Amino acid sequence: DAGVTQSPTHLIKTRGQQVTLRCSPKSGHDTVSWYQQALGQGPQFIFQYYEEEERQRGNFPDRFSGHQFPNYSSELNVNALLLGDSALYLCASSLGGTGYYGYTFGSGTRLTVV
Amino acid sequence: LAKTTQPISMDSYEGQEVNITCSHNNIATNDYITWYQQFPSQGPRFIIQGYKTKVTNEVASLFIPADRKSSTLSLPRVSLSDTAVYYCLVLGAGSYQLTFGKGTKLSVIP
């Protein structure tokens, strides 16, 4: 039973560049959420995608955008990268999105902005 | 969303039972409590959730008193592999986001 798959695992980008991170949800899940985790902090909710639309968004600027495809996979795009965007980006999938049955997280993409 | 407060860190010896208490004074009637575990360089892993009284699964037990203003995660006979950060979260009915605090860093000592 494949869990949540994220790619790439590590990434180094320069300030001002753009980055795209990818996520394949757990089999049977239809909802994808994205989180940002800075070192020593808990994950922070970026947004959730359901039925190919952004359903809820956290306190993140418009530089952060996403997409969900018909096969439920998702991308997170970050434009005009800042040094402060360096973090572990986590994808979580669920069925229906409310989390009642728990979210399944991937191992994340470690983004370093230099 | 109800704010949660839990200890920053705890130490325990192998084989002991560990209890991590979380306070959530402003929990709403329809909210439920959920706990996640996170190892370094991995995403959080769902452990257990409950609404009231006691819930037990193969990994842990969750105790919630009648006023639901706190909850206690109990890990029986911990091993070195239980060293991780444990997050207590309150999830509102119909809410789609998890609000993480800093969690409790549990260190299991041989």
Side-chain angles (χ1 to χ4, degrees):
Chain A
D1 180 19
V4 175
T5 304
Q6 292 188 243
S7 63
T9 55
H10 296 83
L11 202 53
I12 299 175
K13 288 287 189 178
T14 304
R15 274 181 303 174
Q17 285 189 316
Q18 179 263 344
V19 68
T20 297
L21 310 182
R22 294 176 176 81
C23 171
S24 292
K26 180 180 177 179
S27 177
H29 285 181
D30 60 4
T31 305
V32 172
S33 303
W34 287 92
Y35 289 79
Q36 180 196 65
Q37 186 173 25
L39 205 59
Q41 305 294 318
Q44 300 300 304
F45 176 76
I46 302 175
F47 42 53
Q48 184 183 88
Y49 275 83
Y50 175 70
E51 293 188 341
E52 302 180 47
E53 291 194 358
E54 183 183 293
R55 179 159 62 177
Q56 189 169 20
R57 187 179 184 93
N59 189 24
F60 279 81
D62 292 344
R63 299 186 297 110
F64 290 77
S65 63
H67 188 78
Q68 185 179 35
F69 299 94
N71 67 352
Y72 307 121
S73 67
S74 178
E75 290 182 347
L76 165 65
N77 301 293
V78 186
N79 295 322
L81 284 167
L82 304 174
L83 295 180
D85 294 332
S86 294
L88 180 68
Y89 288 85
L90 295 161
C91 171
S93 72
S94 60
L95 180 62
T98 62
Y100 182 77
Y101 300 105
Y103 291 92
T104 301
F105 282 81
S107 294
T109 294
R110 173 72 62 187
L111 173 64
T112 302
V113 182
V114 297
Chain B
L1 293 172
K3 182 181 177 181
T4 60
T5 303
Q6 53 183 123
I8 295 295
S9 65
M10 294 181 67
D11 293 335
S12 176
Y13 288 102
E14 271 191 298
Q16 288 188 330
E17 177 184 74
V18 170
N19 296 308
I20 306 174
T21 297
C22 174
S23 67
H24 26 78
N25 292 320
N26 296 324
I27 191 167
T29 302
N30 294 328
D31 292 344
Y32 50 96
I33 299 127
T34 186
W35 286 78
Y36 281 76
Q37 172 194 55
Q38 186 176 26
F39 299 112
S41 299
Q42 292 187 27
R45 182 177 75 105
F46 174 82
I47 302 176
I48 196 167
Q49 72 174 26
Y51 182 79
K52 62 180 179 180
T53 62
K54 177 183 175 182
V55 180
T56 298
N57 62 21
E58 65 278 6
V59 176
S61 295
L62 178 61
F63 299 92
I64 305 168
D67 66 6
R68 304 200 326 120
K69 294 184 183 298
S70 67
S71 59
T72 299
L73 175 72
S74 180
L75 304 172
R77 298 179 298 281
V78 293
S79 65
L80 296 177
S81 64
D82 292 316
T83 293
V85 177
Y86 292 81
Y87 295 98
C88 165
L89 302 96
V90 171
L91 193 60
S95 174
Y96 304 121
Q97 69 179 72
L98 297 175
T99 301
F100 289 85
K102 291 190 175 182
T104 297
K105 185 175 182 180
L106 172 65
S107 298
V108 179
I109 306 163

